[in-house]
Amino acid sequence: MDKLIIEGGRPLKGEVKISGSKNATLPVLAATLLTDETCVLRNVPKLLDTNTMVRLLKALGKDVDWDKDKLIIMSNGKPSPVADYKLVSTMRGSICVLGPLLTKLGEAKVSLPGGCVIGVRPVDLHVKGVEALGAKVEVEAGYIIAKARRLKGARVYLGGASGPSVLGTANIMMAAALAEGETIIECAACEPEVEELANFLNEMGARIRGQGSPRIIIHGVKKLHGADYRMSADRIEAGTFILLSAMAKNSNIVVRDCDYHQLTALDDVLKKVGATVVSQKDVVRVKAPKVLKPVSVTTYPYPGFPTDIQAQYMALMSLADGVSVVRDTVFPDRFMHIAELNRMGARIRREGGSAIVEGVGELCGAPVVASDLRASAALVMAGLVARGKTEIRRVYHLDRGYENIDHKLVMLGASIKREKE
Ligand code: EPZ
C-alpha cells in the first residue's frame, strides 16, 4: 500500500487539467453491455475504479483494450450474466451492471455490493425498478438474481428515504432502453452523470428524453449499436481543486477543462465564504480571501450541494473565522474525515447527521489514515496548507477516484511524495 508525504504551506501556482468523470464513466462502461458492437470511449480516467469496471466487463464477456487514451470495448462472444462478489465488493458502482445484463441477456446475477464507510448503501430502489419492469427478483446468498424474458416499460417512482438514487436511475434507464414500450422514471436523479449516461445511450440508438430532470422518459428499442463517445470532465475533481484554491493562501490555481455550471451550489457558497471566483468557458480561477467566513452547508441531491465535496468543504471550514455546521442529508454517516482532520488540529465535533466545525488559525501536519475516496481528498487538502509534514496512509482510496493527483499537485508546486507503506 502507498502513503503520501506532504510538506505543507507551499504556495500553489499553475494550471491543473481535470480528468474525465469517474462517476459518468462507470455507468457508461456498464452501458456497453447493451450492445454486441464495438464502443470507443475517450477521455476515460485511468483510476482503480475504472480498472475494476474493466475487469468486470471482461468477466461479463467483453474484450477491453486501451489504445493510447481511448478505451475499445468489444464482445468476445461469451456473454455471462454473473457479476461476482470478488469484483463487486471492491466497488459499489459495479451494481450498475444489473440493468444492462438483465435487459440484454434476460437474466442477471449480481453480488450485493455491501456497505462502505460512508453508509449502508442499500439497493432496494434498484430492485424496485427492475421489478416494476417485470423482472422476477430473488436475493440469495448475497446475490441479486433477476430474470425476465423481455422487460416491459412502466412508470416507476424511484425516490427513496434520502431522495433519488443516481445509480438506481442509471440501472433503470439502461434496463428500459431495450424494454418493450415506454418507461417513465419519476423522482429520477438529476446529476450530470445521469444526463451523460442518457446522452451516451442515445448515441447508441436509445430513445431517452428528460435526462437531467426528475422525470425521464425512455422508449424501448429492439437493438442498440456501438458508439464513439468522449467522457466529460469530472465535476467532483473540479470541485475539489476549486476548494483547494480557496484554501491555499498566496496561491493562484487555474482549473481547466471543467464545466463550472455543474457546480452552482459550490459557487454560491464560495462567494459567501469570501472567495473571488472568475470562470470563463471551461476555466475557473479562485482567489482565497484573507479571512474565510464560516458558512454552514447542507448536502442535497443535484443541483444541491454535492455530498461528494462535503469532506473537502469541511477541510476548508476548519480554517474559517468562526463556527459553521456541515450536514449531509444524502449520506448522514459520511464523517470518517472528522477524526483525522482533528488530528491535524481542526476542532470538529459530530452531532448526529451534522458536524460542528469551529475554525482554527492553522492546521498542523500529522500522520493520518485515509478511509474513503473523498475523505482522502480532504486530508490531502489539509496537508497542503498545514504547517509541517503530513503522512497519509492507505492512499489507494484516493487512487480510486483521482487520476495522477500527486503529479498534478507537484506541477502546482506542492511538496508531495508517494512512498510504499
Ligand atoms: C453515486 O452513488 C455516486 N457513485 C456517489 O459517489 C455519490 O455520493 C452518490 O451517487 C450520491 O450523489 C457513483 O456514481 C459511482 P445513491 P450511488 O444511490 O448511486 C440511498 C464518490 O465519492 N439509496 O444516489 O450508490 C443511499 O443510501 C461516490 O464518487 C437507497 O435508499 O448513491 C443514499 O442515502 C461515493 N436505496 C441515497 O439513496 C437504494 O436502492 C443516495 O444514494 C439506493 C440508494
Side-chain angles (χ1 to χ4, degrees), residues 276-302:
T276 325
V277 185
V278 176
S279 77
Q280 264 138 359
K281 290 221 298 286
D282 66 348
V283 177
V284 179
R285 277 172 211 273
V286 177
K287 214 153 167 35
K290 288 252 170 308
V291 176
L292 288 166
K293 294 193 196 88
V295 176
S296 296
V297 145
T298 299
T299 71
Y300 289 109
Y302 192 86

Side-chain angles (χ1 to χ4, degrees), residues 363-380:
L363 295 174
C364 27
V368 290
V369 182
S371 56
D372 68 278
L373 170 52
R374 307 304 174 183
S376 332
L379 296 177
V380 170

